[in-house]
Amino acid sequence: MLWKTRLIAPQWVALAAVFLGLAACSGTPGLVRPNEPVKVQRIFEVRSPIEWARFRGLGNETWTIDGALLNRLTFITNIRDKEHIFGYGRQNRWNPDGAFYRTGMDPNELRDLMVDGLAQIGFANVSASNLQPGERDGFTTYQFDLDLRSPNGLTYKGHVLMLERRQRLNFVLFYAPVEYYYAKDADAVTAIFADLHVRP
């Protein structure tokens, strides 16, 4: 898996297929059962009203119902200073440009970091709206909505929750095609976001 591979900028455009397909190639999934608490990457505790297939990776998890191209709930944890938001290398003089996290980013910078990261891995027309600060278990959180288009031409809507914990970035990202799947899953995802807890 390419999760922590260092890549140069021209390669990022080709990564959307990898990112979109991670859940499809990660082996036998686990199962998220309805209304049972689930610990995610030792950072989040989540409860879902519906069942999901669960694929665990190093520092990340993906949940899906119908396949990662049709509904995808991704948790990414413990992004360090100067690391790419999707795990594709660190910022340095050989790899200076990209969606690299910096400790202490303000809310608008975090939102733009997500938008830039999604664009760099191949999504088009990425935009964010409705940025809302909040509080969760003593941590300041930021939630916002997404609109984006995948490399295969599907139009998606999504939601993001981001927070800094111990000077590291953690986030939950959901997206699904506007046609049918987003509306089908939106209520369940809203419930997941509302009930999500963060380990101190």
Side-chain angles (χ1 to χ4, degrees), residues 3-62:
W3 195 253
K4 293 294 181 182
T5 303
R6 196 182 109 198
L7 298 167
I8 59 175
Q11 292 171 299
W12 290 355
V13 174
L15 286 173
V18 175
F19 183 71
L20 283 164
L22 281 178
C25 63
S26 300
T28 304
L31 196 64
V32 175
R33 299 186 185 281
N35 302 312
E36 292 185 4
V38 178
K39 288 182 169 42
V40 178
Q41 297 292 318
R42 301 183 181 179
I43 302 291
F44 299 115
E45 184 171 298
V46 184
R47 191 185 304 264
S48 170
I50 61 174
E51 187 172 276
W52 300 74
R54 178 187 190 186
F55 300 84
R56 298 184 228 194
L58 180 61
N60 67 89
E61 283 195 18
T62 291

Side-chain angles (χ1 to χ4, degrees), residues 52-139:
W52 300 74
R54 178 187 190 186
F55 300 84
R56 298 184 228 194
L58 180 61
N60 67 89
E61 283 195 18
T62 291
W63 296 6
T64 185
I65 303 164
D66 303 293
L69 293 173
L70 300 177
N71 32 44
R72 183 185 183 108
L73 182 64
T74 293
F75 303 81
I76 297 184
T77 60
N78 286 325
I79 302 169
R80 299 171 184 263
D81 187 62
K82 296 185 179 179
E83 285 186 342
H84 192 277
I85 189 171
F86 292 120
Y88 301 123
R90 285 183 60 82
Q91 186 176 34
N92 54 45
R93 62 181 177 174
W94 299 283
N95 192 23
D97 300 318
F100 296 108
Y101 166 66
R102 297 186 315 279
T103 303
M105 283 179 147
D106 70 31
N108 291 323
E109 290 174 320
L110 289 172
R111 177 201 60 207
D112 293 346
L113 180 71
M114 176 63 68
V115 169
D116 291 346
L118 288 167
Q120 286 170 354
I121 63 171
F123 289 94
N125 304 330
V126 184
S127 64
S129 60
N130 196 29
L131 177 64
Q132 298 288 331
E135 189 275 336
R136 194 71 57 97
D137 301 312
F139 296 95

Side-chain angles (χ1 to χ4, degrees), residues 125-183:
N125 304 330
V126 184
S127 64
S129 60
N130 196 29
L131 177 64
Q132 298 288 331
E135 189 275 336
R136 194 71 57 97
D137 301 312
F139 296 95
T140 300
T141 61
Y142 303 101
Q143 293 191 59
F144 51 91
D145 301 326
L146 287 173
D147 292 281
L148 60 163
R149 184 179 294 272
S150 73
N152 62 5
L154 289 176
T155 300
Y156 289 83
K157 288 185 69 68
H159 304 288
V160 179
L161 183 147
M162 306 179 85
L163 63 97
E164 289 185 319
R165 173 185 176 272
R166 302 181 185 178
Q167 298 187 318
R168 298 181 186 180
L169 179 65
N170 303 272
F171 66 84
V172 186
L173 165 64
F174 168 75
Y175 57 81
V178 171
E179 188 172 347
Y180 180 68
Y181 289 95
Y182 176 81

